[in-house]
Structure formats: C-alpha cells, structure tokens
Amino acid sequence: MEVTFLSRSFLATIAMVLAATALPSGCDAHSQTFAPAPSPTSDGTTIDQGIAYVLMLVALVLTYIIH
C-alpha cells in the first residue's frame, strides 16, 4: 500500500512540474507582441536575371556547335 502511495505522489509531482513549465503563465500570455512578417526578398528581378543567364548559355552552346 505504501509503495502505491509513493508512486502516485511521485507521478503527481512530475505532472505538476511538467504542467508548471509547459504551460505559460496567465500574465505572460497576453503581453507578448510579435514582429511583423518580413518583406519578400525577391521582386522578380533575380528570376529574370537567371532566365537571361540560361538563355545566354544556350546561345553560347549553339554558337559553339554551329561553328
């Protein structure tokens, strides 16, 4: 009987410690403010530049094959 009482109190203590550390406190939960989302890093010019590089590489390969 005593072993059962000790194991139950041990499990209850573990549960209270986990609940105290895992759950946010009431006053801290509402005081958090989040930063705004960052703006997009690509405005399409990098994609256009990549396409231009690929087209120039294709033109270079075709020129090499033709000559």
Side-chain angles (χ1 to χ4, degrees):
M1 178 89 175
E2 191 171 334
V3 175
T4 306
F5 175 72
L6 288 176
S7 63
R8 284 186 183 175
S9 62
F10 179 72
L11 289 176
T13 305
I14 295 291
M16 286 194 295
V17 168
L18 287 176
T21 57
L23 299 175
S25 63
C27 60
D28 288 339
H30 299 291
S31 64
Q32 292 179 352
T33 57
F34 296 105
S39 61
T41 56
S42 173
D43 57 354
T45 57
T46 55
I47 296 171
D48 292 341
Q49 192 174 13
I51 292 172
Y53 280 133
V54 169
L55 289 175
M56 287 193 316
L57 184 63
V58 168
L60 180 67
V61 169
L62 286 176
T63 303
Y64 180 73
I65 291 173
I66 290 173
H67 286 94

